[in-house]
Amino acid sequence: MCKRIFRWNFALAALLLCAAAADRSHAAGPNILLILADDVGCETLGCYGGSSYETPQIDKLAADGLRFTHCFAMPVCHPTRVTLLSGKYPFRLNNPGWGSYPKDEEQNTIAHAMKEAGYATAVAGKWQLTLLKRDPEHPHRMGFDQYSLFGWHEGARYHDPLIWQNGEIRDDTQGKYGPDLYVDFLIDFIRDNRERPWLALYSMALWHEVTGDLKDELGLRENTVVIFTTDNGTAGRSKLRAIGNKNKFEYEKVVSKRGDELLPGGKGSLTDLGTNVPLIIRWPAQIKRADVTDTLVDMSDFFPTCVELASKTPPAGLDGHGFAPLLTGEAFDEREFAYAQHRGKFWVRNQRFKLYDDGRLFDLVDDPREKKPIPADKQSPAAAAARKALSSAIDGLDVAK
């Protein structure tokens, strides 16, 4: 993969450090910086065993926090974003078409819930839920006080980007780099709201290199929860160069090394390479040492978790299971299965077994690449018990394809 995709912009380090080093005793809950990277699978990160790319800042985040091994997203970006914002699986919302979000659900988002809890809210980077030129107030209606987002399908997102900011197109982006501007916007938002709790969603357009030599500024690190995750697995191919003048490109396959394996990008696939995504959480006030958990998490869980962190009760009707007690060392009822869907197919799974809607059952410990489904008449007691439990989960979901 082209190395530039796996470099963090140095300004992201400033964003992380801007949320840095003292408690704010009057806040109802911690600040929350939710970073959603684009097209990044676990196999690309050093802290998950990857060795093809240098990822020192993410590795440091894991060294300071809690790393999850069983976090799952949808295999492509739009349904992941719908699930994260709504706390509901896409089929609950009649599977919104690409670049859309149901109008009758706009008031029921994670951002609105956090505003009701007294939080300031902002989003920057990738939106993909509408064409902003047709509906520039959409992020505001979805609950974000402020936004700075590139014009999806309207213009560039990186160099000389077309950026919509709070309802208007910015006129100062010539000669500038989009990811720098998205991060600068969030830093300004954090600075302006340092006296109250805030939720900042950085929906990244790209990874870029960061440096660790910037000094802490705002004194918010201790009571800021930094959540890093991604929207789906790594892309299977990457643009290498343009061919001629007809918008054609030469591509290279994306293959990453983890341990002794060379793993292709799995975006768009319901296998683990497409759906098992990184999740790292740093919260110095509560997480005192590096740790690893196999707790099941899927994209619907971030909504109720953030609400719980704000000391509020999540709204009824969510698919998500809040896991805030895990971060504070308290007991809680973990979710029994995770869910993902794509193009009319879906699965439910626990840490070891995965059951597809067509009845195929896989043991992900013995068969991580899903080469051989377990025959129903030749399954172990453990597999039989998993099939029964996961079949019951499917029945309970009542999935509408």
Side-chain angles (χ1 to χ4, degrees):
M1 176 179 287
C2 189
K3 286 186 178 179
R4 66 182 178 83
I5 295 178
F6 284 93
R7 293 175 183 162
W8 271 40
N9 184 280
F10 80 91
L12 182 55
L15 176 58
L16 291 171
L17 290 167
C18 194
D23 197 277
R24 190 187 57 239
S25 59
H26 66 272
N31 306 306
I32 301 172
L33 172 59
L34 175 52
I35 302 170
L36 183 69
D38 201 11
D39 291 0
V40 179
C42 292
E43 77 282 358
T44 64
L45 303 180
C47 56
Y48 281 89
S51 57
S52 292
Y53 321 99
E54 295 182 0
T55 57
Q57 295 298 328
I58 292 299
D59 297 346
K60 185 177 186 303
L61 199 68
D64 292 339
L66 182 62
R67 181 170 64 86
F68 291 70
T69 58
H70 288 80
C71 178
F72 298 94
M74 305 297 162
V76 288
C77 46
H78 180 262
T80 288
R81 284 166 170 74
V82 168
T83 304
L84 185 148
L85 288 168
S86 69
K88 301 174 184 177
Y89 300 135
F91 74 86
R92 305 281 191 203
L93 309 182
N94 296 316
N95 295 310
W98 211 257
S100 70
Y101 196 92
K103 280 193 172 295
D104 59 356
E105 290 287 339
E106 289 178 352
Q107 298 298 311
N108 303 320
T109 66
I110 183 175
H112 276 297
M114 297 306 286
K115 281 169 63 72
E116 290 175 6
Y119 277 60
T121 59
V123 60
K126 183 176 181 178
W127 188 239
Q128 203 183 33
L129 301 173
T130 191
L131 287 174
L132 289 168
K133 65 181 178 182
R134 296 179 182 173
D135 191 359
E137 291 301 309
H138 191 245
H140 288 323
R141 292 202 313 275
M142 295 276 284
F144 291 99
D145 297 322
Q146 298 185 41
Y147 77 82
S148 185
L149 302 161
F150 64 79
W152 179 59
H153 289 313
E154 296 180 48
R157 70 182 71 180
Y158 303 129
H159 301 286
D160 304 328
L162 192 159
I163 296 179
W164 285 90
Q165 188 160 309
N166 296 329
E168 298 180 351
I169 295 176
R170 290 183 58 162
D171 60 5
D172 61 348
T173 65
Q174 292 300 305
K176 297 180 181 178
Y177 188 54
D180 289 343
L181 299 178
Y182 313 138
V183 169
D184 287 344
F185 166 83
L186 287 178
I187 289 174
D188 288 342
F189 166 78
I190 292 171
R191 181 178 293 114
D192 292 344
N193 290 280
R194 61 185 177 273
E195 297 301 324
R196 61 181 294 194
W198 45 261
L199 168 73
L201 171 57
Y202 182 27
S203 181
M204 293 182 70
L206 173 71
W207 276 35
H208 238 262
E209 186 176 32
V210 294
T211 61
D213 56 359
L214 300 173
K215 294 187 177 181
D216 298 348
E217 290 187 40
L218 300 184
L220 303 177
R221 174 188 174 96
E222 196 71 14
N223 201 36
T224 294
V225 181
V226 177
I227 303 171
F228 174 85
T229 189
T230 74
D231 61 354
N232 46 249
T234 310
R237 63 177 190 169
S238 177
K239 287 179 181 176
L240 188 59
R241 60 180 63 87
I243 302 174
N245 298 315
K246 295 184 178 181
N247 202 31
K248 294 183 178 179
F249 298 90
E250 181 181 346
Y251 290 84
E252 62 179 346
K253 291 183 178 180
V254 176
V255 179
S256 306
K257 187 174 184 181
R258 182 169 64 183
D260 295 329
E261 290 187 289
L262 290 175
L263 302 174
K267 178 181 178 179
S269 166
L270 280 167
T271 66
D272 276 10
L273 288 175
T275 59
N276 185 201
V277 295
L279 172 57
I280 300 166
I281 299 179
R282 184 190 73 190
W283 186 9
Q286 293 291 340
I287 301 172
K288 301 299 185 183
R289 61 183 178 84
D291 205 353
V292 179
T293 178
D294 68 351
T295 302
L296 275 178
V297 172
D298 71 27
M299 285 294 134
S300 67
D301 295 340
F302 294 106
F303 184 154
T305 298
C306 288
V307 173
E308 289 175 351
L309 288 171
S311 300
K312 300 295 183 181
T313 301
L318 302 183
D319 288 303
H321 288 56
F323 59 86
L326 175 68
L327 308 181
T328 56
E330 302 171 55
F332 74 110
D333 293 329
E334 299 184 27
R335 65 160 52 248
E336 295 180 354
F337 64 90
Y339 169 88
Q341 66 176 70
H342 186 51
R343 293 182 175 176
K345 300 179 180 179
F346 67 89
W347 52 247
V348 295
R349 64 163 296 164
N350 57 29
Q351 284 86 343
R352 179 173 178 177
F353 293 98
K354 178 190 287 186
L355 180 65
Y356 282 85
D357 58 309
D358 61 6
R360 290 177 300 143
L361 180 71
F362 293 93
D363 183 337
L364 282 308
V365 172
D366 294 338
D367 183 17
R369 301 294 157 250
E370 302 182 21
K371 300 296 185 182
K372 296 180 179 180
I374 302 171
D377 60 346
K378 295 182 180 179
Q379 56 192 8
S380 68
R387 186 186 294 275
K388 181 178 180 181
L390 295 174
S391 294
S392 178
I394 289 177
D395 293 340
L397 283 171
D398 192 23
V399 178
K401 295 186 181 181

